[in-house]
Amino acid sequence: MELPPRPRYSPAMNYRHAFHAGNFADVVKHAILALCLDHLGSKDKPYRVIDTHAGIGAYDLTSDEAARSPEWVDGIGRILGADMPDDVAAALKPYLDLLAEMNPGALTEYPGSPEISARIARPMDRIQLCELHEADSRTLERRYARDGRVKVEHRDGYKALTGLVPPKEKRGLVLIDPPFEDRDELAHMAAAVMPALKKWPTGTYIFWRSLKNLWAADRFDNGLTEWLITEQGFEPEKILRADLWIRDLASEGKLAGAGVMIINPPWQLEEKLLALLPWLAETLAQGDGYGWRLDGGLTEEDVEEADAD
Ligand SMILES: C[S@@+](CC[C@H](N)C(=O)[O-])C[C@H]1O[C@@H](n2cnc3c(N)ncnc32)[C@H](O)[C@@H]1O
């Protein structure tokens, strides 16, 4: 994969995640993040989370923004009220446990990625947050001022990333979750992750991508996969893609689909997602043409066995 030309980047910074907090795309991304962190914490060695586009940490679902655009109602709102089979409950456990911990009564607060990390990480683990929006980075600083594990930086997460890896713990996870306001967002992401992957090929990386432009997302996924396998010597099973769409991807209007690419996914993540994604697609559907896809190292036989269980 050739490095894309260094993109011009104008950080208009209009994006406010508070309008979208807890929507279907957050559910998929955050359930996967929680599973990856849960796995990292299963070994008695410290890890580091590097969150390049952190947001504000947590979202008040009773705020004006959330009330004006209550996307969470058809996202996390549907999950909390749903019956789920045991394998789905197991896959959602790390995510739903921390939601319950934050909301002992009714759901009023939704965790962003920093809060998910802060709640799952242990005292020995470290969390590095980058946020370019000035007021948001101050909000983050205030939120974690007394948490010695968390470091907040008001800086461009793409530019920071290469310098932040490998972390001294040599274990951990990078989350890249940009706002996709810039039409060259995928080029920015590729330009930032390729040098980071070269410097730290064993970290777990989660890249969130909108499927608004499916062709562009596929081009990014395929280009990155080809580069990782042919030029960096990655095994194909070290690359996993998990996407979900709640109505026909060709439909106009609000975001219909999104998902993640995961490099160096934890053991058994693919199997867990195989149980989770079809259920999430059914539960979160908002129209005809909803669906999901999971591309990883499992063979057809593995899939048949999982179906038979
Ligand atoms: C989708 S939101 C992040 C949500 C968060 N990761 C979560 O899951 O709760 C994207 C955030 O990236 C910030 N941002 C935009 N460009 C950035 C950049 N180049 N570096 C760091 N932060 C950036 C925006 O201000 C916004 O808060």
Side-chain angles (χ1 to χ4, degrees), residues 24 30 62-63 65 68 74-75 79 94 104 119 146 258:
F24 81 92
H30 290 154
T62 63
S63 70
E65 291 104 319
R68 255 189 288 155
D74 287 318
I79 304 296
R119 284 184 181 262
R146 280 198 286 273

Side-chain angles (χ1 to χ4, degrees), residues 161-162 165-166 174 176 191-201 205 227:
L161 181 59
T162 326
V165 297
V174 175
I176 305 191
V193 302
M194 288 163 79
L197 275 159
K198 276 189 184 176
K199 276 185 80 185
W200 190 33
Y205 293 75
W227 176 78

Side-chain angles (χ1 to χ4, degrees), residues 9 13 15 30 52-55 112-113 131-133 155-157 177:
Y9 186 45
M13 312 299 300
Y15 181 86
H30 290 154
T52 60
H53 294 67
S113 51
E131 171 53 55
L132 193 54
H133 190 283
R155 68 193 282 208
D156 184 330
D177 180 22

Side-chain angles (χ1 to χ4, degrees), residues 85-103:
D86 289 351
D87 53 357
V88 171
L92 286 175
K93 188 172 184 335
Y95 171 59
L96 293 184
D97 279 358
L98 70 91
L99 266 157
E101 193 182 283
M102 277 176 91
N103 296 279

Side-chain angles (χ1 to χ4, degrees), residues 9 11 13-17 20-21 26 29-30 33 51-59 110-116 130-134 136 153 155-159 175-181 185 208:
Y9 186 45
M13 312 299 300
N14 291 324
Y15 181 86
R16 306 283 69 210
H17 194 67
H20 312 290
D26 261 8
K29 166 178 68 190
H30 290 154
L33 173 64
D51 190 340
T52 60
H53 294 67
I56 58 170
Y59 300 87
Y110 184 79
S113 51
E115 190 63 18
I116 292 174
C130 296
E131 171 53 55
L132 193 54
H133 190 283
E134 198 176 346
D136 288 358
E153 287 191 275
R155 68 193 282 208
D156 184 330
Y158 286 136
K159 291 193 182 138
L175 172 67
I176 305 191
D177 180 22
F180 275 79
E181 282 198 304
E185 195 72 71
W208 186 84

Side-chain angles (χ1 to χ4, degrees), residues 28 209 211 214 218 221 241-245 258-261 277 291-295:
V28 176
R209 304 110 58 262
L211 299 184
L214 184 62
D218 282 347
D221 299 349
R241 170 168 76 174
D243 286 328
L244 182 136
W245 48 100
V260 291
M261 282 279 283
L277 288 176
W292 60 280
R293 65 180 176 182
L294 182 66
D295 303 309

